[in-house]
Amino acid sequence: MKLMRFAYDTWGKDLMGNKNVQQFIDELKSEDPWEEGADNLVMASFMSIRLRSLALGMNHPVKCSDWWGPIAEEILKEEGLPYESWNREQLEKYKVEPNIQKFKFG
């Protein structure tokens, strides 16, 4: 959960404590190493981090999750699949095969 919050929500002290980004990521890898992830999630997290870096550089911190959540809910409604309708069966029906990226850390 910490990695998801870092990627899409915040990198504030409430999440990272007094660590910088590198120390935080190193700690996450030591606690729960990951070697693969779906590329669509990786790319979305890169975009979120870049957008938040740019905004923070302009002294305007943002949380992408605050903006993207309502957009996603609206698209689901437009597609006739409102958020409230999702359950295990719905997830199985609409799942896609992810393209998994493999990582090896030294």
Side-chain angles (χ1 to χ4, degrees):
M1 186 56 129
K2 284 184 180 181
L3 183 59
M4 291 295 110
R5 284 196 60 214
F6 173 78
Y8 301 106
D9 191 46
T10 183
W11 51 51
K13 287 188 183 265
D14 60 318
L15 176 65
M16 296 174 50
N18 290 321
K19 298 174 193 73
N20 65 34
V21 170
Q22 187 63 52
Q23 293 167 330
F24 178 72
I25 294 296
D26 287 345
E27 181 181 280
L28 286 180
K29 280 194 259 181
S30 69
E31 290 175 6
D32 185 16
W34 66 93
E35 294 184 356
E36 57 186 49
D39 65 350
N40 57 340
L41 296 177
V42 172
M43 296 309 292
S45 67
F46 285 168
M47 176 61 73
S48 172
I49 290 167
R50 288 183 179 116
L51 286 171
R52 289 182 294 133
S53 296
L54 177 65
L56 192 57
M58 297 186 312
N59 200 27
H60 185 72
V62 297
K63 291 183 175 184
C64 291
S65 57
D66 289 347
W67 292 89
W68 290 352
I71 293 169
E73 287 183 359
E74 185 60 35
I75 291 170
L76 286 171
K77 282 181 193 171
E78 289 173 8
E79 294 294 322
L81 301 164
Y83 176 77
E84 297 78 19
S85 73
W86 285 84
N87 55 27
R88 182 66 141 174
E89 293 81 30
Q90 192 89 311
L91 287 171
E92 290 293 327
K93 181 178 177 182
Y94 289 99
K95 78 175 181 180
V96 296
E97 282 300 316
N99 183 16
I100 301 295
Q101 300 296 314
K102 298 196 182 275
F103 307 96
K104 290 292 181 187
F105 299 105

